Amino acid sequence: MGSSEVVLRAATADDHDQLWGLFATAMMFDSTSSDLDREIFEPERALVATDGDLLVGTAKALTRDLSVPGAVVAAAHVTGVGVRATHRRQGILSRLMSRQLREAPEALAVLWASEAAIYGRFGYAPAARNVSYEINLHRVRPHLVPRGADRVEELTGEDTAAQLAPLLRALQSRRPGVSGRSDLLWHKRLQDKPEDRGGATPRQILVHRDAAGAVDGYALWRGKMNWAVEGPANEVVLEELVAIDPTAYHALWHYVLTLDLAGKVQYGHAAVDEPLQQLVSNPAALVRRLGESLWIRLTDVSRALAQRRYASAVDVVLEVSDDVIEHNNGRFHLIGDSKSTTCERTEAAPDLTLSVSELSGTYLGGRSLAEFAATGRVTEHTPGALITTATALTWPVAPTSIEVF
Ligand SMILES: CC(C)(COP(=O)(O)OP(=O)(O)OC[C@H]1O[C@@H](n2cnc3c(N)ncnc32)[C@H](O)[C@@H]1OP(=O)(O)O)[C@@H](O)C(=O)NCCC(=O)NCCS
């Protein structure tokens, strides 16, 4: 059956359970949705493909914000993408993606890609990397006992999210790539269903307090019992560590790295420039695996470029091409620095020619335009424009995402 008989439409709240089932089957995970998932679902932001009465494809977006260099902006958080196996390779995803991108009210879309080969064709590009740490505690120990080590405590009680949320917002003002969370999403993040623990302990929530008693850092972790021939070798799974103060950062890591009976710490969301490297005895022994995290796609080039800030002054005319979103084609005059930015359509001669993918991949400041120029994807018409623009697009703090959505 060809995809011409397949119809796209916006979802309704009643589609939720079927969409969830379709996505779970496509991703091959066993999960039933909860009332909370139904509340988080934004039907008006989900597209479905139907073949007669059968739902055969879906792509959802969540309304969230994202930190970018120098700002926090609205970004369509794309998720739940799947096509029924009987209907694949007939262009359904292409139709869903094109429509979703054209209709997005935000100036950019962001996603995690389970399969890296899929999204480049739609103008998405990997824009942030994440580092997975596996820390052997017999080789890697903290240098010193930090000053605030005695101000780490466990947090229990009802208002946990309210205490942690301001710290995530503060992190957004410091590091690009961090997604904001509504109350519902905080609720989801802190859910701790026994069936999701994979044999690990219930989640422990640690906080660090400053000298006045205010919470200035938190860590979410679990332990998993393990015995090696030579003795206890428990695993610590660090899910999230957010600290807005150096003492809190140091103290929370110290706690995690010195837990009794533990042989290993796993942490999947470290940044490329994770400061932990400075705090341990043997950074070379941190086993680090580099992966892609966020893929970015600018849906409105001039608005997106005006929304972020730049590491150094830039004044450049960019000639942009975009196969999917017509209004992104053309020339844009970008003037910006670390404090303000404008980006207007122009007829002036271009300094650089490139496509929306290169602008998307460099948008969070974690990749250089020079990398794309090296494979011919950026053409420099004005000598010096590449280096000036590439420098301005970088950012001193590497982008990282601390959750998969
Ligand atoms: C990935 C998926 C959504 C693609 O849906 P689809 O309707 O088959 O995709 P399309 O027919 O529109 O394919 C568009 C293009 O992408 C390519 N493509 C599709 N899925 C691909 C995959 N998994 N790997 C590599 N290329 C893929 C197609 O070959 C096609 O290429 P072409 O334009 O050169 O002809 C679907 O295969 C699926 O549900 N997979 C399992 C779930 C999943 O991976 N979801 C993504 C989570 S991030």
Side-chain angles (χ1 to χ4, degrees):
M1 184 171 291
S3 91
S4 56
E5 294 161 57
V6 169
V7 175
L8 302 198
R9 63 165 170 82
T12 67
D14 292 342
D15 290 321
H16 177 270
D17 289 1
Q18 261 206 80
L19 287 189
W20 186 278
L22 192 156
F23 180 61
T25 306
M27 296 299 287
M28 302 191 197
F29 70 89
D30 174 23
S31 167
T32 46
S33 63
S34 63
D35 287 345
L36 182 56
D37 296 316
R38 271 177 221 106
E39 276 189 83
I40 289 169
F41 179 51
E42 298 178 55
E44 67 289 354
R45 303 222 56 187
L47 289 173
V48 295
T50 56
D51 183 352
D53 292 338
L54 191 64
L55 212 144
V56 296
T58 167
K60 298 193 284 184
L62 294 174
T63 306
R64 301 179 68 174
D65 59 30
L66 179 75
S67 55
V68 302
V72 177
V73 305
H77 281 57
V78 173
T79 180
V81 175
V83 170
R84 200 176 279 274
T86 48
H87 286 68
R88 289 186 186 154
R89 309 299 187 269
Q90 299 172 22
I92 295 176
L93 174 75
S94 305
R95 290 171 61 193
L96 288 166
M97 282 283 108
S98 310
R99 179 162 161 186
Q100 186 185 53
L101 288 169
R102 290 185 189 123
E103 291 181 354
E106 300 93 343
L108 60 145
V110 58
L111 54 76
W112 279 78
S114 311
E115 177 61 74
I118 299 173
Y119 294 99
R121 73 192 71 237
F122 305 115
Y124 279 94
R129 299 198 163 96
N130 81 316
V131 181
S132 296
Y133 278 166
E134 191 169 304
I135 307 173
N136 177 343
L137 295 177
H138 302 298
R139 295 189 61 87
V140 179
R141 305 297 284 180
H143 275 317
L144 303 163
V145 178
R147 279 179 294 132
D150 58 345
R151 294 203 298 269
V152 174
E153 61 186 64
E154 283 181 22
L155 190 66
T156 52
E158 298 282 300
D159 62 342
T160 309
Q163 297 203 52
L164 306 188
L167 303 182
L168 187 69
R169 279 198 292 278
L171 179 66
Q172 285 189 294
S173 69
R174 291 163 165 77
R175 189 179 280 285
V178 180
S179 299
R181 285 184 194 141
S182 62
D183 291 350
L184 285 176
L185 290 171
W186 265 109
H187 191 171
K188 173 97 178 159
R189 181 69 187 91
L190 295 175
Q191 259 188 342
D192 189 18
K193 294 191 266 180
E195 62 268 30
D196 294 339
R197 289 181 194 149
T201 63
R203 179 183 296 117
Q204 314 284 309
I205 304 177
L206 295 176
V207 292
H208 180 268
R209 292 185 189 278
D210 66 16
V215 175
D216 59 0
Y218 71 84
L220 311 180
W221 72 280
R222 301 172 191 279
K224 195 165 181 183
M225 194 182 201
N226 186 40
W227 285 86
V229 183
E230 62 276 22
N234 292 346
E235 288 177 26
V236 175
V237 181
L238 180 61
E239 297 177 335
E240 197 162 301
L241 189 150
V242 171
I244 57 169
D245 175 88
T247 306
Y249 181 82
H250 199 161
L252 288 165
W253 268 112
H254 185 269
Y255 186 103
V256 169
L257 295 177
T258 56
L259 281 161
D260 281 352
L261 305 182
K264 187 162 83 177
V265 175
Q266 294 195 0
Y267 180 49
H269 290 281
V272 172
D273 57 356
E274 189 65 46
L276 174 68
Q277 300 167 100
Q278 304 159 44
L279 303 181
V280 295
S281 56
N282 187 356
L286 292 168
V287 176
R288 286 171 270 201
R289 200 161 37 82
L290 192 63
E292 312 288 8
S293 62
L294 300 180
W295 289 60
I296 294 283
R297 204 302 177 187
L298 304 189
T299 49
D300 184 336
V301 163
S302 62
R303 192 153 50 106
L305 292 181
Q307 281 179 338
R308 60 157 285 185
R309 298 292 171 261
Y310 296 86
S312 56
V314 62
D315 183 341
V316 67
V317 174
L318 304 169
E319 183 171 54
V320 181
S321 60
D322 188 331
D323 294 338
V324 178
I325 301 180
E326 182 53 37
H327 65 76
N328 276 341
N329 288 282
R331 295 177 188 170
F332 300 91
H333 187 186
L334 171 67
I335 304 174
D337 58 24
S338 62
K339 296 195 177 63
S340 64
T341 314
T342 60
C343 186
E344 307 285 348
R345 207 169 265 283
T346 179
E347 293 305 318
D351 299 306
L352 297 175
T353 296
L354 72 186
S355 83
V356 71
S357 300
E358 291 76 67
L359 287 175
S360 299
T362 53
Y363 189 74
L364 295 180
R367 289 177 81 183
S368 172
L369 209 54
E371 177 199 328
F372 294 101
T375 57
R377 287 173 55 174
V378 180
T379 306
E380 184 182 55
H381 306 288
T382 307
L386 173 65
I387 199 80
T388 317
T389 310
T391 306
L393 282 167
T394 60
W395 199 248
V397 184
T400 203
S401 173
I402 62 167
E403 63 169 279
V404 181
F405 52 84

